[in-house]
Amino acid sequence: MVTGDILKLRLESITGGGEAVGRFEGIPVFVEGGAPDETVLCRVTEDRKKWMRSELLEIIEPSPARVDSLCAFNNKCGGCPLQHIEYNTQLEAKKNILKDSLLKFGGIPASEMPAIDPEVYPSPEWEYRNRMQFHCIRQAPAGSPKYGLMGRRSPEIIRVSDCPVASIQIRDILRVKEKELTPPPGKDRFTVFAKDNVILSEGGQERGKIKLLEKDVLIDAGLFFQSNCFMLEKLIIELRKIAKQADCNYPMADLYCGVGTFAIFLCDLFPKIILAEENKDAKNLARENLKGANAEFFALCDTQWPRTILRNKAAIGFAVVDPPRSGLNSNTASALANNGPPVIAYVSCNTVSLARDSKILARGGYKLKELKLFDFYPQTAHIESLAVFVK
């Protein structure tokens, strides 16, 4: 098989990258834009001997799960590669990807997986995204938008006049020229956050307070914050339930705390809350959000925090960790595995790094007790999950 050859394939499932996969003579072939249970013609674009990638040419027999896209920029911008698949099928695919990752990379025996079958928390399918990143167009003609979204498998920036997954407020900005944002000077991309009557953006008003579960949270458009507030509230509610089952007589730790979002809603359950974060600006915002609480702050990269937080096995009763896509850093992973609390709630945005870290925690005596999938990003391949580990 060589690049350019045309294949007829029966597609089986959706992969972690959002592509459909079929097999040619036993070799996996990835097809962007395909759907489970459909027959297609595709052209090979990349042959790596053990796997191939191809472009979709023709749908011979469409999948029962295939639907029409709502977006005028489908297959043009780089987002939402699953919008041609109906929502329940998307959820089932993500659930299977999460389970498969833990089986393949997490060292969890297949016999234990039925007991921790992921519970799925769906989202509104459209108009859910409160936070978006736009790319600047510096040489835009007069009267044209000065920003857009990155093209699909292309460096081209697509000028979008709407985005169906964006919150109503951001859609309004895209559709009404008079509300156009001003990209910040010297940056190739910038972030916009909008919820209720609050609109924040780099290059404009960056800092402001939003309401989550009737509490004020101070955020900054230039700092990381979850993009789907509807799902964030669901996640916080579940974290409180889990935290209440821990030993609340001891302090808790919030690692990779960001602006302190989880700590705001958990601090009342524990006598003290200890927070660690590597971004100084985020940590300063967390201090403001936790004013009045018995809180102590550490730099995540500092070796002082594990010696202080985990100085003995009874130092803390509960920890919530929310690392970036790369997962726990080695210092944090080993400290938790060797001397972590009885209960850890691990919020993950990457199934592979979650699986890798679960294997490390298992060496320290932890067992995966619960697994929940929160669909923060419908129409995309991104998977957010909550894993509860007990020792």
Side-chain angles (χ1 to χ4, degrees):
M1 188 57 55
V2 296
T3 299
D5 283 356
I6 295 176
L7 304 177
K8 180 180 179 181
L9 291 178
R10 182 69 176 179
L11 302 180
E12 302 166 0
S13 60
I14 298 297
T15 67
E19 298 165 306
V21 63
R23 292 184 181 275
F24 176 76
E25 297 180 349
I27 299 173
V29 182
F30 301 102
V31 185
E32 187 173 26
D37 302 316
E38 71 182 8
T39 303
V40 302
L41 282 182
C42 58
R43 179 185 290 113
V44 176
T45 57
E46 191 176 358
D47 183 0
R48 294 297 183 91
K49 305 305 179 186
K50 291 187 177 181
W51 57 268
M52 291 182 279
R53 180 164 281 116
S54 65
E55 63 176 332
L56 181 64
L57 297 179
E58 180 184 344
I59 300 169
I60 299 172
E61 182 184 340
S63 166
R66 182 172 284 277
V67 295
D68 292 332
S69 169
L70 295 182
C71 182
F73 300 94
N74 183 31
N75 292 323
K76 296 177 182 177
C77 98
C80 303
L82 300 183
Q83 61 182 289
H84 62 286
I85 299 173
E86 68 92 20
Y87 188 50
N88 287 330
T89 304
Q90 292 183 34
L91 292 176
E92 188 64 24
K94 292 181 181 183
K95 180 178 175 180
N96 290 334
I97 291 165
L98 178 58
K99 290 173 63 176
D100 288 347
S101 289
L102 286 165
L103 283 169
K104 291 178 182 177
F105 309 112
I108 297 174
S111 60
E112 293 183 11
M113 285 306 296
I116 50 173
D117 197 42
E119 183 177 1
V120 178
Y121 294 75
S123 166
E125 298 177 45
W126 306 99
E127 293 187 336
Y128 64 80
R129 189 154 187 156
N130 301 98
R131 180 178 181 269
M132 292 190 69
Q133 189 174 82
F134 294 99
H135 293 256
C136 300
I137 304 173
R138 294 299 178 192
Q139 306 300 322
S144 297
K146 298 180 178 63
Y147 50 86
L149 300 174
M150 187 63 71
R152 184 176 299 278
R153 299 191 183 280
S154 162
E156 181 186 4
I157 299 171
I158 309 299
R159 296 179 173 91
V160 295
S161 55
D162 195 7
C163 178
V165 299
S167 68
I168 294 173
Q169 299 91 334
I170 294 178
R171 291 189 80 178
D172 194 31
I173 291 170
L174 293 173
R175 290 182 290 199
V176 181
K177 185 179 173 183
E178 287 76 13
K179 295 188 177 183
E180 186 171 349
L181 303 163
T182 302
K187 281 198 168 187
D188 293 328
R189 52 189 179 181
F190 66 103
T191 301
V192 177
F193 183 96
K195 184 181 186 297
D196 303 324
N197 295 320
V198 177
I199 299 177
L200 307 174
S201 69
E202 293 181 278
Q205 181 184 339
E206 292 197 18
R207 185 169 293 192
K209 287 183 177 180
I210 63 167
K211 285 283 187 185
L212 283 179
L213 297 172
E214 303 307 315
K215 285 193 176 186
D216 287 333
V217 181
L218 180 63
I219 68 171
D220 189 301
L223 299 173
F224 173 78
F225 195 78
Q226 287 284 8
S227 301
N228 183 333
C229 289
F230 176 87
M231 293 306 296
L232 177 57
E233 290 183 331
K234 285 184 174 292
L235 174 58
I236 289 168
I237 290 169
E238 292 306 309
L239 283 173
R240 277 190 64 88
K241 290 178 183 177
I242 295 161
K244 287 178 180 178
Q245 297 171 16
D247 191 339
C248 295
N249 293 309
Y250 293 93
M252 72 153 282
D254 184 353
L255 309 180
Y256 305 87
C257 71
V259 301
T261 308
F262 297 144
I264 293 168
F265 296 92
L266 299 175
C267 64
D268 64 303
L269 300 176
F270 298 90
K272 182 179 180 179
I273 191 160
I274 300 164
L275 303 96
E277 170 58 46
E278 61 185 349
N279 184 298
K280 292 181 180 179
D281 293 331
K283 190 166 61 175
N284 288 337
L285 232 59
R287 290 181 190 275
E288 294 191 47
N289 279 321
L290 271 295
K291 275 184 180 177
N294 185 11
E296 187 175 4
F297 295 84
F298 291 88
L300 189 69
C301 58
D302 192 346
T303 56
Q304 180 187 359
W305 78 259
R307 290 199 300 268
T308 303
I309 299 175
L310 306 176
R311 59 187 177 275
N312 58 64
K313 292 185 184 298
I316 60 174
F318 175 68
V320 57
V321 299
D322 184 12
R325 290 189 59 80
S326 55
L328 301 174
N329 64 45
S330 57
N331 184 47
T332 302
S334 59
L336 287 172
N338 295 331
N339 222 20
V343 182
I344 296 174
Y346 187 133
V347 179
S348 168
C349 61
N350 185 329
T351 62
V352 175
S353 59
L354 168 64
R356 180 205 65 208
D357 292 340
S358 71
K359 201 169 189 176
I360 296 171
L361 293 173
R363 294 189 195 118
Y366 284 96
K367 185 174 182 179
L368 181 61
K369 181 185 177 183
E370 296 179 53
L371 187 60
K372 302 173 185 288
L373 191 157
F374 291 82
D375 194 31
F376 273 73
Y377 300 100
Q379 320 308 332
T380 81
H382 294 294
I383 298 174
E384 295 270 341
S385 60
L386 171 62
V388 181
F389 296 93
V390 297
K391 181 176 279 192

